[in-house]
Amino acid sequence: MLQSLFDKKNNHRCTDFIWSGPCSAESYEQVFETASQLKQKGIETIRAGIWKPRTRPNSFEGIGYPALDWMADIKNKLSVEITTEVASAKHVEACLKSGFDALWIGARTTVNPFLVQEIAESLRGVDIPVFIKNPIHAEIGLWIGAIERFEQMNISKIGNIFRGFHTMNSAPYRNQPVWKLALEVKRQFPGIPMICDPSHIAGKRNLLKGISQTAIDLNFDGLMLESHINPDSALSDSLQQLTPANLFTMLEELVQKKDHFINPEIVQEFQKVRVDIDQLDKKLLEIIENRAELIDKIGDWKDANQVQIFQLERYQQILESRKKYAKDLQYLPQDFVQELFELIHKFSIAQQLGKNQ
Ligand code: PEP
Ligand code: MN
């Protein structure tokens, strides 16, 4: 199953790759029973955390090394793929000895270039898939840096996992799904599969379905969802885990969309509308170009009269008035207009600064 993700010819449909298992391996029976119920319904890639990076000490920090043998045994008995999170070269070495089929680095590791480098070096020349979870906070530089560190070690099967970002206010989610950042990483590394981890985004069972459906609609390459035979008694992340039975019910309710239209009449209409959109975008650029021409003029005046370029009051007035114009428009939300004019204004300032150099 894991290998199909890296088959370049394959057009990955999100629901074709489901990766599941408990947040943490707690006992042999718990992992075995969960994995066995998953396998019965076709899920063959099993996750279980062995070393748990907990925010506070004295929480359950994982079983550690003894759980490696449980996983190896479960792999043999059930013919499933076993995967876990690694956070050091020692973890990697132990997992490779125990026959793990894939590894991932967690959000708390991706933020640490020393650890990422150490882990990447310990995997040099090893041909198993390695997944990188996005860093804890909403910045993709460290994520991209981690991808590059693994690439430099010639690791050929790299995957990404999007698990949302910790922000000051992530409500209603545990971690904010800033989708545009995941899509930006996908744009920059189109050959690297991007899996969504709705469990750590949601933090609660009732939000899992909505996030999973969004991931499908955004063309993610698969889903990692935590499951546990008895979620309420789970030693970590109990609120976000589903029983395997409830996981299957949820999966059945998800709608896997097609990547293109089938009906030829709609295809024709759709293409026409796309041509209209292309035309409008061209006009949009022409309007921004006209605006830049005016900026050029006021830039010259400011320069000739030694007037400073950045004028806070004018900036605030631009943002407020544009948002006010947009209040009467049907489709443009206030935060979009705010962001758009922040960008336009940033460009105008740079344009005027350029004249001084
Ligand atoms: C996990 O997958 O159980 C985990 C700890 O994830 P993250 O690194 O995304 O917090
Ligand atoms: Mn977890």
Side-chain angles (χ1 to χ4, degrees):
M1 280 301 273
L2 272 161
Q3 294 299 328
S4 70
L5 271 182
F6 299 93
D7 178 355
K8 300 274 186 284
K9 284 176 287 191
N10 204 344
N11 179 19
H12 308 129
R13 287 158 32 107
C14 191
T15 50
D16 287 346
F17 182 69
I18 309 293
W19 184 354
S20 188
C23 176
S24 303
E26 299 167 5
S27 69
Y28 177 81
E29 291 70 29
Q30 167 245 6
V31 187
F32 182 89
E33 194 47 37
T34 310
S36 144
Q37 290 184 25
L38 292 170
K39 167 80 194 216
Q40 271 168 31
K41 297 253 191 147
I43 294 181
E44 294 176 2
T45 309
I46 305 299
R47 61 151 285 153
I50 289 177
W51 300 277
K52 298 304 297 179
R54 304 308 297 276
T55 306
R56 307 276 301 272
N58 308 324
S59 321
F60 172 65
E61 289 185 327
I63 295 290
Y65 294 91
L68 293 169
D69 289 343
W70 304 347
M71 298 297 285
D73 189 73
I74 289 166
K75 171 175 172 162
N76 270 338
K77 289 214 170 91
L78 298 176
S79 291
V80 289
E81 294 172 321
I82 53 171
T83 68
T84 197
E85 171 179 345
V86 287
S88 70
K90 262 171 70 187
H91 293 166
V92 171
E93 196 189 329
C95 288
L96 294 178
K97 272 200 195 122
S98 297
F100 274 72
D101 296 286
L103 303 172
W104 78 85
I105 64 169
R108 292 159 193 79
T109 302
T110 309
V111 292
N112 185 332
F114 288 132
L115 279 178
V116 174
Q117 184 66 25
E118 174 191 310
I119 293 167
E121 282 173 19
S122 71
L123 280 160
R124 196 201 299 263
V126 177
D127 192 35
I128 65 169
V130 184
F131 291 81
I132 305 168
K133 284 201 172 194
N134 65 261
I136 290 270
H137 60 286
E139 191 274 321
I140 57 174
L142 287 162
W143 198 359
I144 292 171
I147 298 170
E148 290 167 345
R149 285 176 198 281
F150 283 106
E151 279 180 342
Q152 281 179 8
M153 292 301 134
N154 293 327
I155 292 160
S156 60
K157 293 180 192 119
I158 299 174
N160 283 318
I161 303 174
F162 180 56
R163 48 80 79 203
F165 299 100
H166 178 78
T167 60
M168 290 288 278
N169 180 11
S170 299
Y173 305 109
R174 177 176 172 193
N175 290 294
Q176 189 73 42
V178 188
W179 297 104
K180 66 178 177 193
L181 294 184
L183 298 180
E184 177 55 22
V185 172
K186 182 80 182 158
R187 189 188 68 78
Q188 290 190 37
F189 297 89
I192 295 188
M194 175 75 74
I195 306 299
C196 182
D197 167 357
S199 305
H200 291 89
I201 293 174
K204 300 178 208 65
R205 284 185 266 285
N206 64 334
L207 298 174
L208 292 169
K209 188 173 146 195
I211 296 163
S212 304
Q213 187 62 56
T214 302
I216 294 172
D217 294 344
L218 295 177
N219 202 14
F220 274 67
D221 297 293
L223 298 172
M224 177 196 257
L225 286 151
E226 289 183 338
S227 57
H228 190 292
I229 37 162
N230 185 3
D232 291 335
S233 72
L235 298 179
S236 59
D237 290 350
S238 75
L239 297 179
Q240 70 196 31
Q241 302 199 64
L242 291 167
T243 59
N246 287 341
L247 171 69
F248 290 115
T249 307
M250 185 191 88
L251 290 174
E252 273 160 26
E253 288 168 3
L254 296 173
V255 184
Q256 175 64 59
K257 315 271 175 72
K258 293 179 279 298
D259 61 5
H260 58 268
F261 293 100
I262 307 269
N263 180 332
E265 270 167 40
I266 296 184
V267 171
Q268 246 190 7
E269 285 303 305
F270 185 74
Q271 290 306 350
K272 267 196 233 154
V273 174
R274 278 206 161 154
V275 169
D276 290 347
I277 291 173
D278 291 346
Q279 291 303 322
L280 280 179
D281 283 351
K282 189 161 171 267
K283 277 193 199 148
L284 201 59
L285 288 175
E286 283 162 6
I287 289 173
I288 296 173
E289 168 79 1
N290 291 345
R291 191 184 193 280
E293 222 176 294
L294 298 178
I295 298 295
D296 198 58
K297 199 179 279 178
I298 62 168
D300 282 345
W301 285 336
K302 284 183 189 165
D303 196 28
N305 293 282
Q306 297 197 340
V307 172
Q308 63 196 29
I309 291 173
F310 179 67
Q311 312 240 340
L312 180 61
E313 246 174 66
R314 170 65 177 159
Y315 180 38
Q316 279 168 337
Q317 186 239 335
I318 288 178
L319 293 180
E320 290 319 310
S321 61
R322 283 26 169 195
K323 283 195 288 185
K324 220 162 165 190
Y325 305 151
K327 276 210 168 109
D328 297 330
L329 306 177
Q330 194 184 345
Y331 296 107
L332 306 184
Q334 294 282 294
D335 54 354
F336 167 74
V337 177
Q338 167 94 21
E339 245 185 85
L340 178 65
F341 279 94
E342 279 174 13
L343 183 66
I344 288 179
H345 189 263
K346 191 169 87 180
F347 167 67
S348 300
I349 295 291
Q351 190 188 339
Q352 294 174 67
L353 281 173
K355 288 174 147 307
N356 287 347
Q357 281 156 13

